[in-house]
């Protein structure tokens, strides 16, 4: 398919297509200049460095348009938000550039950029630097749905409309970019049916009236476009997924049908023209593919917009099937790398007809129809390989022989090409041949078709391949082939957050079966649903290699991808990225709670109305936004139940994470009931910030238990909280803290630290932390035995818990810094090693020699069974000090952490145990922990007296007596 050059000469005329990349007058290609600017902006380089690369305005209209619409425009918005000094720098550097930019370029910019450029050029410095002029425009432009209509024209609803020319606010083509989404692409009755939705953000589509749409396929410029028969259909999911509150896109759906005959005759005409051109150059005619890009043109409420069809739903629409129109000719809907839909009319110039494996050679037989060729070669990825060409009947047979040992060294799959002498390279298609997998020891060589049916050859560790996925009641049963060596294996379901589950794989010869109960997964003895999101499937090989699971291509057509609603969640087994099986989980929500529109109504209409209703004598409990049943909040709840407090108790639960014991009412986080509970309950007990929409009302009591005594800087004491202007989180915290009525403190030392960090002036209750009462409970031995059984810990073994805090500057690092292999070797089998990462840190990669307890709900339970704690700058050191058991501090990055994050304490001076900088030193300390503990006994006593004087097992009683009696 031929392509137009985006950039034309100044004045709007388009140059003749030459196949040469557009260049600036200086000789540098426009895309290269744009990429250089984008790279500088991404790295956060200074604005003067960026403007040196941009250069003077007016040299190239195409470049000026792209850079102002893209990276430079985004940097302008950022500078406006960063305060007066940045705005002054912006004016100084940008005005000379804008003075040289062609006026026509500025007129066609997106409306917000157009308005900002106009203000910079025409308004005085004092107004733009010290006033709110630019800030108002940038803030308003963040909501592109603000549009108004005058007659048959649409305008942006941005500031200063009464002061500036109306033409500045008129929406141009750059502003009328539709939001599109494809739900399904399927062949029905020989025709290609495309369904989805398309709308302009901010323009509601409530009915079919004055609402037309046409899907158009555009190919090479001289071929007439293909207009598909299109009708509008009801698509309420468009409203649910929209980003604009208050808009209704229910009738933005469309259904379009394509008769492939329209492609065939156009492709035939193009083939004749191309054949004539090749013959004029004394070359034989070659059948070539013709590609059309899919666009949608629609008219809605007087606005006309055109845009590419983009955005496939996960699953079947990602892998649309091709249709064989006749022998060797296919119509294939395909996706580009930027998720745009195209339809290709593709002749199979080379088809794979056979695959053989003979000792150490892989043989491939390929047929070239309608061509008699005697010479040429093949390519496997970027490698040129020999091929034998033999004319036969109505074509040419090609034989390729590949060395198996060489293939086994390859790491990536490679596409197979054939290059007959004098002809363009032809991608080898799988055609009617089945996929081939050949086992070689513990590896396999696969010859597969990709989503476009092109042959890909790869070698890798033997992979499990699912051939059947069937729901049996609440169980998803996966069956497939896995011809690896015998032995036990487990399927790993892993979430993008790092959370994972191991599920036994039942093996019988080369067959396997896996049974998944997504609504009832075992988490340390509790039954919980798979949390919302995508769960990938892998298998850990005995060598330690992580082996991905794949879908059998022949099974994709019949794969059941419909959702199953089980216990408040909808689960789907789908194949994404063509043959990658995943399980998707999503909380079930009523239609009026979905999307931005639903939450907008709940927050702006329903919640304010509920705040006017009388308060109920109820208590809402929230831990980490509803993710856990744990912490001091749990202790307060259980103490009230023990006392027989029969008032209403409401637990906020996110994503079905837990079911609280006792008579509590469970409310789903984000639901209508959640908003009502926070609006009308007299008491709210939480350990973290409440939702941003919550505002405490007269008569409510908000009890903030917080997360413990901080060792590292928190709140206003962090460096970024003191920037000018203040970051959004500063304002968020200020609004949150104003609603607190009581803040719990663990000690007199912690009270002033918490007050300063939060700017809190209200009541502080130095009660100690309720969550630590369990550590000194008379029943702690029985409770510890139950936790040991839940974790599968053997009696009599010493338990070492490694629980580091998170690093702001290294959050995605999943490496366990403590050398667990050396610890296991040094300590022997009579020690249990537990690893618990911070929730803000990437889930750790814990080897089998230790136990990953990161997802265990309540760390207080873990402290019950821990004999030695290894930590760094975490508040867990203060909690564990209540037990009197040894603490080792592993501060491998102490200096760096103290500089970047900041610490309230001088650890080497006050630590209750040794502060060590290497893993070797930590392991050595653990080997002689009794002697180490004895050497630090005095410091340990001082530490406890300073930081945990009130943690005497009665903290919860003090809180309940003070708040609820």
């Amino acid at each position: 398919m031929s392509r137009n050059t985006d950039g034309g000469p100044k004045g709007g005329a388009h140059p003749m297509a030459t196949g040469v990349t557009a260049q600036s007058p200086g000789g540098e290609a426009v895309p290269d200049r744009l990429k250089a600017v984008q790279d500088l902006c991404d790295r956060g380089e200074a604005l003067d460095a960026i403007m040196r690369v941009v250069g003077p305005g007016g040299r190239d209209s195409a470049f000026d348009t792209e850079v102002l619409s893209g990276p430079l425009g985004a940097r302008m918005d950022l500078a406006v938000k960063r305060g007066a000094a940045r705005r002054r720098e912006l004016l100084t550097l940008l005005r000379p550039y804008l003075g040289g930019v062609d006026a026509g370029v500025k007129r066609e910019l997106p409306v917000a950029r157009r308005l900002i450029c106009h203000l910079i050029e025409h308004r005085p410095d004092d107004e733009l630097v010290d006033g709110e002029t630019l800030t108002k425009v940038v803030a308003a432009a963040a909501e592109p749905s603000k549009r108004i209509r005058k007659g048959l024209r649409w305008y942006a609803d941005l500031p200063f409309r009464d002061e500036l020319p109306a033409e500045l606010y008129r929406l141009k083509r750059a502003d009328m970019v539709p939001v599109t989404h494809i739900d399904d692409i399927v062949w029905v009755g020989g025709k290609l049916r495309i369904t989805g939705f398309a709308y302009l953000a901010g323009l509601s589509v409530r009915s079919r009236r004055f609402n037309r749409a046409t899907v158009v396929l555009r190919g090479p410029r001289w071929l007439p476009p293909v207009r598909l028969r299109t009708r509008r259909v009801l698509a309420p999911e468009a409203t649910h997924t929209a980003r604009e509150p208050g808009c209704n896109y229910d009738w933005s759906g469309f259904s379009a049908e394509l008769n492939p005959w329209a492609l065939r005759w156009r492709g035939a005409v193009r083939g004749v023209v191309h054949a004539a051109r090749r013959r004029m150059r004394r070359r034989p005619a070659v059948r070539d593919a013709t590609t059309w890009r899919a666009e949608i043109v629609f008219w809605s409420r007087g606005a006309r917009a055109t845009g590419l069809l983009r955005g496939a739903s996960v699953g079947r629409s990602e892998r649309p099937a091709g249709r064989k129109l006749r022998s060797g000719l296919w119509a294939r809907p395909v996706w580009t790398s930027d998720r745009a839909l195209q339809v290709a009319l593709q002749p199979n110039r080379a088809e794979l007809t056979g695959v053989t494996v003979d000792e150490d050679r892989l043989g491939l037989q390929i047929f070239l129809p309608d061509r008699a060729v005697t010479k040429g070669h093949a390519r496997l990825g970027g490698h040129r390989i020999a091929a034998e060409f033999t004319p036969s009947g109505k074509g040419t047979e090609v034989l390729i022989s590949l060395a198996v040992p060489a293939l086994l060294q390859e790491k990536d799959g490679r596409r197979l090409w054939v290059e007959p002498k004098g002809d363009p390279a032809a991608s080898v298609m799988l055609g009617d041949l089945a996929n081939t997998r050949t086992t070689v020891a513990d590896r396999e060589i696969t010859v597969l078709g990709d989503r476009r049916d092109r042959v890909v050859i790869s070698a890798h560790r033997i992979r499990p391949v699912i051939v059947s996925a069937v729901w049996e009641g609440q169980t998803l049963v996966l069956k497939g082939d896995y011809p690896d060596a015998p032995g036990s294996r487990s399927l790993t379901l892993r979430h993008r957050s790092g959370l994972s589950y191991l599920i036994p794989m039942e093996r019988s010869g080369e067959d396997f079966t896996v049974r998944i109960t997504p609504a009832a997964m075992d988490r340390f003895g509790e039954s919980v649903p798979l949390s919302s999101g995508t769960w990938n499937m892998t298998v850990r090989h005995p060598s330690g290699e992580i082996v991905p699971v794949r879908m059998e291509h022949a099974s994709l057509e019949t794969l059941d991808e419909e959702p199953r609603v089980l216990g408040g969640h909808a689960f789907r087994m789908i194949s994404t990225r063509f043959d990658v099986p995943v399980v998707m989980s999503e909380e079930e929500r009523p239609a009026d709670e979905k999307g931005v529109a639903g939450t907008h109504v709940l927050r702006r209409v329903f919640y304010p109305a509920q705040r006017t209703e009388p308060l109920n004598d109820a208590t809402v409990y929230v831990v980490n936004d509803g993710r856990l049943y744990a912490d001091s909040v749990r202790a307060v709840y259980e103490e009230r139940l023990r006392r027989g407090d029969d008032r209403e108790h409401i637990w906020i639960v996110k994503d079905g994470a837990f079911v609280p014991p006792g008579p509590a009412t469970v409310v789903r986080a984000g639901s209508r009931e959640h908003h009502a509970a926070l609006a009308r309950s007299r008491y709210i007990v939480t350990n973290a910030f409440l939702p941003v929409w919550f505002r405490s009302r007269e008569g409510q009591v908000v009890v903030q238990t917080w997360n413990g005594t901080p060792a590292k800087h928190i709140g206003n004491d962090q460096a970024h909280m003191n920037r000018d202007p203040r970051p959004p989180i500063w304002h968020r915290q200020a609004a949150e803290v104003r609603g607190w009525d009581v803040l719990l403190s663990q000690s007199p030392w912690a009270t002033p630290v918490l007050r300063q960090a939060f700017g809190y002036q209200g009541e502080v209750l130095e009660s100690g932390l309720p969550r630590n009462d369990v550590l000194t409970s008379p029943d702690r031995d029985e409770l510890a035995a139950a936790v040991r059984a839940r974790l599968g810990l053997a009696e009599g073994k010493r338990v070492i818990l490694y629980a580091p805090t998170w690093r702001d500057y290294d959050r995605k690092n999943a490496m366990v810094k403590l050398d667990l292999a050396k610890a296991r070797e040094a300590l022997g089998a009579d020690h249990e090693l537990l690893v618990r990462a911070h929730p803000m840190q990437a889930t750790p990669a814990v080897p089998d020699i230790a136990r990953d307890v990161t997802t265990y709900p309540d760390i207080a339970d873990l402290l019950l069974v821990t004999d030695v704690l290894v930590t760094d700058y975490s508040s867990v050191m203060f909690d564990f000090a209540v037990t009197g058991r040894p603490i080792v501090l592993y501060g491998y990055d102490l200096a760096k952490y103290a500089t970047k994050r900041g610490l309230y304490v001088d650890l080497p001076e006050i630590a209750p145990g040794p502060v060590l900088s290497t893993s070797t030193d930590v392991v050595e300390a653990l080997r002689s922990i009794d002697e180490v503990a004895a050497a630090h006994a005095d410091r340990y006593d001082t530490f406890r007296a300073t930081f945990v004087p009130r943690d005497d097992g009665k903290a919860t009683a003090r809180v309940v007596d003070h708040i609820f009696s």
Side-chain angles (χ1 to χ4, degrees), residues 41-92:
C41 292
D42 291 344
R43 295 200 304 266
E45 297 290 344
L47 186 59
D48 59 345
I50 296 171
M51 294 308 299
R52 284 197 295 270
V53 175
V54 171
R59 291 195 304 167
D60 187 283
S61 297
F63 174 77
D64 290 337
T65 299
E66 294 295 331
V67 79
L68 284 170
S69 301
L72 183 57
R75 187 56 181 267
M76 290 162 55
D77 293 347
L78 186 62
V80 168
K81 298 175 184 176
R82 287 287 177 88
R86 296 292 179 87
R87 289 195 288 270
R88 186 175 298 281
E89 179 189 32
L90 176 68
L91 300 184
T92 303

Side-chain angles (χ1 to χ4, degrees), residues 229-502:
R229 184 178 179 182
T230 311
R231 60 189 178 89
R232 281 296 203 184
V233 297
L234 186 64
E237 65 274 10
T239 302
H240 300 156
T241 58
R243 298 179 179 179
E244 302 79 35
C247 293
N248 185 319
Y249 304 120
D250 285 0
W251 278 95
S252 65
F254 68 86
S255 177
E257 286 192 348
L258 168 66
N259 188 331
W261 174 250
L263 304 182
R264 292 186 64 176
W265 75 258
R266 287 170 172 81
V269 170
R270 182 172 181 270
V272 170
V273 172
H274 275 224
R277 289 177 177 173
R278 287 185 63 85
R279 289 193 180 99
M280 290 173 64
R281 295 195 294 267
R282 300 181 183 278
R283 294 181 179 178
V286 176
R287 295 185 301 165
D288 195 10
T290 305
T291 305
W292 289 263
R293 69 179 184 273
E295 297 180 350
I296 188 164
V297 183
F298 63 87
W299 300 260
S300 179
R301 299 173 58 195
R304 181 184 186 276
T306 302
L308 295 175
L309 282 181
R310 299 179 184 273
S313 296
V314 179
R316 186 171 69 173
S317 63
E318 289 183 289
R319 53 175 199 279
R323 184 173 181 83
K324 191 174 184 179
L325 304 180
R326 60 174 174 81
S327 178
L329 184 65
W330 289 73
R332 299 185 189 280
V334 296
W335 293 101
T336 64
S337 58
D338 59 348
R339 294 170 56 84
L341 178 64
Q342 294 182 343
V343 180
L345 186 68
Q346 186 176 34
N348 283 4
R349 292 177 48 216
E351 287 193 11
L352 188 66
T353 57
V355 179
T356 60
V357 178
D358 183 13
E359 295 182 354
D360 61 349
R361 308 297 296 183
L362 175 69
L364 304 170
Q365 294 89 48
I366 301 166
F367 185 69
L368 310 181
D370 304 325
R371 293 285 287 125
V373 183
T374 59
K375 294 182 179 181
H377 59 270
R379 286 190 180 276
L380 186 60
H383 301 296
R384 181 170 175 170
I385 54 180
E388 180 183 337
F389 290 76
T390 305
S392 174
K394 294 183 178 181
T396 301
E397 292 184 355
V398 183
L399 298 178
I400 301 173
S401 180
L402 301 174
V404 169
L407 281 176
L408 293 176
Q409 300 303 314
E410 298 288 340
K411 294 183 179 180
D412 302 313
R414 299 180 183 274
R415 280 176 54 194
L416 182 63
W417 302 77
V418 172
E419 296 185 7
K421 186 175 182 180
D423 288 355
S427 183
V428 180
M429 313 301 288
L430 190 64
D432 297 326
L433 197 68
N435 293 326
T436 304
R437 288 181 168 86
T438 303
T439 301
V440 182
D442 62 347
R443 298 177 69 81
E444 64 179 356
I445 297 174
T446 61
V447 182
L448 309 176
D450 66 5
R451 69 181 71 194
R452 299 191 187 187
D453 204 41
R454 300 170 299 192
V455 171
V456 177
I457 300 176
S458 60
H460 42 69
R461 184 80 67 179
I462 296 173
R463 294 174 175 174
V465 178
I466 298 172
V467 299
S468 169
V470 179
W471 287 92
E472 295 181 359
Q474 297 192 4
T475 303
L476 175 62
V477 181
L478 308 179
K479 296 184 178 181
D481 301 323
Y482 189 25
D484 197 15
S488 63
R489 300 283 193 279
S490 294
L491 179 77
T492 302
L493 280 179
R494 183 174 295 276
H495 193 266
R496 63 179 299 179
S497 66
L499 179 63
S500 63
Y501 292 98
L502 291 179

Side-chain angles (χ1 to χ4, degrees), residues 111-132:
V111 62
R113 299 277 190 270
R114 190 189 321 150
L115 181 56
I116 289 175
C117 289
H118 178 87
L119 292 171
I120 289 176
E121 287 190 286
H122 295 90
R123 290 292 176 98
D125 285 9
D126 291 344
E127 176 185 342
L128 300 181
V129 173
D130 300 320
E132 299 292 323

